[in-house]
Amino acid sequence: MIYVSYNDDNPMHSRLEIAQKTINAAFGEFENVLAFAAHISEQQNPVFWQNAKRISLKQRPLIVFSVRYPLESDLPIYEISWNPIFEPESGIALSEECIEEAIQIEELPEDDNFIYVKRLGAFQYEQVA
């Protein structure tokens, strides 16, 4: 979803023009912005990410739910959270002692917090509240 905010001081046609200038670039950077969000999520869910990094996941644990153009900015904000259709995955990884271990990722963490990431420019982001 793409949300473009507008009001009487910032009419819809001008706000849409602003969004149209950057939306293709914003969509083209989904992989990068998801990697940026994963680093933020690692701080909140370290156990999940430690296991997820040990095997090759076939699915994305995080997805972009929407791109917003708020009134106070011409820059888009990505709204990112856990992938609601993520299915359990498993794989084999080597321990520090070089012993094969089965890794199971049964479910995503239960927090349903969103991570808000503002696009500052090409491949430049910051987390926003």
Side-chain angles (χ1 to χ4, degrees):
M1 292 243 185
I2 303 168
Y3 295 99
V4 181
S5 299
Y6 65 94
N7 61 19
D8 290 340
D9 295 331
N10 299 288
M12 182 178 12
H13 71 277
S14 65
R15 295 295 297 156
L16 288 174
E17 284 178 19
I18 290 167
Q20 287 173 339
K21 290 178 186 175
T22 60
I23 195 63
N24 288 337
F27 270 79
E29 294 180 17
F30 272 17
E31 292 294 326
N32 297 82
V33 79
L34 287 172
F36 183 87
H39 288 297
I40 295 166
S41 180
E42 282 180 56
Q43 306 304 312
Q44 301 162 350
N45 304 286
V47 173
F48 170 82
W49 287 103
Q50 286 169 355
N51 285 328
K53 286 181 172 185
R54 294 186 67 203
I55 61 174
S56 283
L57 294 177
K58 297 175 184 90
Q59 315 162 74
R60 294 181 188 169
L62 297 173
I63 62 169
V64 176
F65 277 85
S66 69
V67 177
R68 288 190 180 271
Y69 286 84
L71 279 175
E72 65 276 1
S73 176
D74 293 348
L75 301 170
I77 295 175
Y78 301 90
E79 294 182 350
I80 300 165
S81 193
W82 298 110
N83 182 349
I85 59 171
F86 186 88
E87 294 289 328
E89 290 197 29
S90 61
I92 303 295
L94 291 178
S95 70
E96 290 181 14
E97 297 80 28
C98 294
I99 299 171
E100 287 187 350
E101 296 178 324
I103 304 295
Q104 294 284 118
I105 298 178
E106 295 295 326
E107 56 189 38
L108 297 172
E110 291 189 20
D111 73 52
D112 42 341
N113 298 330
F114 276 80
I115 298 170
Y116 299 93
V117 175
K118 185 179 213 175
R119 183 178 188 268
L120 302 176
F123 305 105
Q124 296 176 342
Y125 316 102
E126 73 177 359
Q127 182 180 11
V128 293

